[in-house]
Amino acid sequence: MLEEWLAPKAAALESRGLTRRLRARAADERLIDLAGNDYLGLASDPRVIEAAADAVRVWGTGSTASRLVTGTTALHEELESSLAAYVGQESALVFSSGYLANLGVVTALGGPGTLLVSDDHVHASLVDACRLSRSRVEVVPHNDVDAVSKVLAERNEPHAVVLTESVFSVLSDEAPLKELSAVALAEDAVLLVDEAHGLGVTGEGRGSVHAAGLAGLDHVIVTMTLSKAMASQGGVVLGPDLLREHLVNRARPFIYDTGLNPAACAAALAALRILQSEPIRPATIHHATARLAAACDVPPSVGPVVSIPMPGPRETVQAAALCLAAGVRVGSFRPPSVPDGISRLRLTANAGLTTADLDQACDVITRAIREVS
């Protein structure tokens, strides 16, 4: 049955150059990594590693249960209070992934009486959250504030949530947060901002919401991941204390999921402390993205990603393979992972790149693009 069902689907993907395959990386490989999301270069930092190892020795390898049973430790609470203080929010709640944080907050706020207004380019986790929410969903053109305002003004629902990202994950452009916040406030709506690519990068590390002066406002909710700049795993929802209490009681991905393991909490805490003590790291990311963008003749980005349009999915995969063979790993993004349908090489800068690394990467990438194009 499965052969007849799934084989034609696999063949259709292959014919369009859209098949995805898992490729295990070696622990000792010697590559310049421009595909991972370790923005601050801390995933292999000895201080972060030792913090995680210490947590395992103290708490064991798992959190043992959901957060409401035995899955909350002192590390969870310390991470929540530390992150909230750093980005200027009243409180925070840690989930076991950033994906679940978005699912949790949107579905806990959603329902028949809530309208969800979603930017056309939001991450898949927010798209799926909308689908599961039982809310009416309106998808608006990318970064179109007027469209958001119009939909909010014409709604019949008593509640509404506007969904956006601070820095978008593929194009690495920035949302008009001040304007969206003003529209949401005027229309009695909530603004939810996913800072997955802002934390540790924009606003001198504190994120775009903080930089825009929106941190701590009672109509602004922030979600974050710990798997990128924080060099760990997990997700966080930040906002007023009342929101945290609501999520503890209503967010199914929080209530019914095993809590984030203590080692991940400790690693994220260590990364946060390094960011606070070494505030130059975010500026290093921006220097690297500017260098890569200039070499590849694409506009500079506000975040850690440099996005390079390619002729098609096959050329994107071929260029990435050429780069890998020359010692540089880059991302190859193809539909449906690209919001505008254009296949791209996706380069992610990190604070650990040296000048020599950037010089080599720029040479390898530009040669690969020329060869396949």
Side-chain angles (χ1 to χ4, degrees), residues 17-315:
L18 300 179
T19 302
R20 287 156 170 77
R21 295 180 174 88
L22 294 173
R23 293 179 176 85
R25 61 183 176 91
D28 60 348
E29 63 185 8
R30 296 289 182 263
L31 292 171
I32 298 171
D33 187 8
L34 296 179
N37 296 320
D38 181 24
Y39 299 147
L40 294 176
L42 295 176
S44 58
D45 189 289
R47 295 165 290 182
V48 177
I49 294 171
E50 191 58 30
D54 284 344
V56 170
R57 285 187 281 266
V58 172
W59 294 99
T61 57
S63 60
T64 74
S66 70
R67 291 283 308 273
L68 285 167
V69 184
T70 59
T72 296
T73 70
L75 288 172
H76 291 83
E77 294 183 338
E78 185 179 359
L79 176 57
E80 288 167 345
S81 61
S82 297
L83 267 175
Y86 181 67
V87 301
Q89 295 289 342
E90 192 170 61
S91 66
L93 187 67
V94 166
F95 289 68
S96 60
S97 76
Y99 209 108
L100 291 181
N102 278 338
L103 285 183
V105 65
V106 173
T107 55
L109 293 174
T114 301
L115 169 68
L116 300 177
V117 184
S118 178
D119 187 284
D120 189 36
H121 285 197
V122 295
H123 188 261
S125 58
L126 288 172
V127 173
D128 288 351
C130 289
R131 291 170 176 170
L132 292 170
S133 68
R134 299 168 294 112
S135 291
R136 182 168 70 92
V137 179
E138 289 285 347
V139 178
V140 295
H142 181 48
N143 281 345
D144 190 333
V145 178
D146 290 338
V148 172
S149 180
K150 183 175 186 294
V151 170
L152 289 176
E154 294 175 352
R155 78 181 194 266
N156 295 317
E157 295 86 349
H159 309 295
V161 182
V162 178
L163 309 177
T164 191
E165 299 181 32
S166 60
V167 178
F168 288 87
S169 60
V170 176
L171 302 185
S172 204
D173 54 338
E174 197 167 26
L177 294 182
K178 290 184 178 180
E179 293 84 351
L180 289 172
S181 172
V183 165
L185 185 61
E187 297 294 343
D188 196 24
V190 168
L191 174 64
L192 189 153
V193 183
D194 185 340
E195 284 263 43
H197 307 279
L199 176 63
V201 180
T202 58
E204 298 180 339
R206 298 177 190 269
S208 300
V209 171
H210 189 281
L214 306 178
L217 299 183
D218 64 4
H219 73 290
V220 177
I221 298 170
V222 173
T223 62
M224 293 177 170
T225 181
L226 305 175
S227 63
K228 296 180 170 60
M230 293 298 99
S232 184
Q233 195 165 3
V236 193
V237 179
L238 304 103
D241 288 337
L242 189 62
L243 173 67
R244 186 180 191 276
E245 180 182 347
H246 178 73
L247 296 178
V248 168
N249 287 278
R250 296 289 186 176
R252 293 173 64 86
F254 177 84
I255 296 168
Y256 298 105
D257 188 42
T258 298
L260 184 65
N261 73 76
C265 290
L269 263 171
L272 178 60
R273 289 167 181 149
I274 294 170
L275 173 58
Q276 291 173 302
S277 64
E278 300 175 11
I280 190 63
R281 284 182 180 262
T284 307
I285 299 170
H286 296 302
H287 168 75
T289 56
R291 174 82 173 83
L292 291 166
C296 298
D297 195 27
V298 295
S301 65
V302 297
V305 172
V306 175
S307 185
I308 306 169
M310 296 294 289
R314 296 187 186 280
E315 292 87 349

Side-chain angles (χ1 to χ4, degrees), residues 325-338:
V328 179
R329 179 188 285 116
V330 301
S332 56
F333 276 39
R334 297 160 287 161
S337 299
V338 282

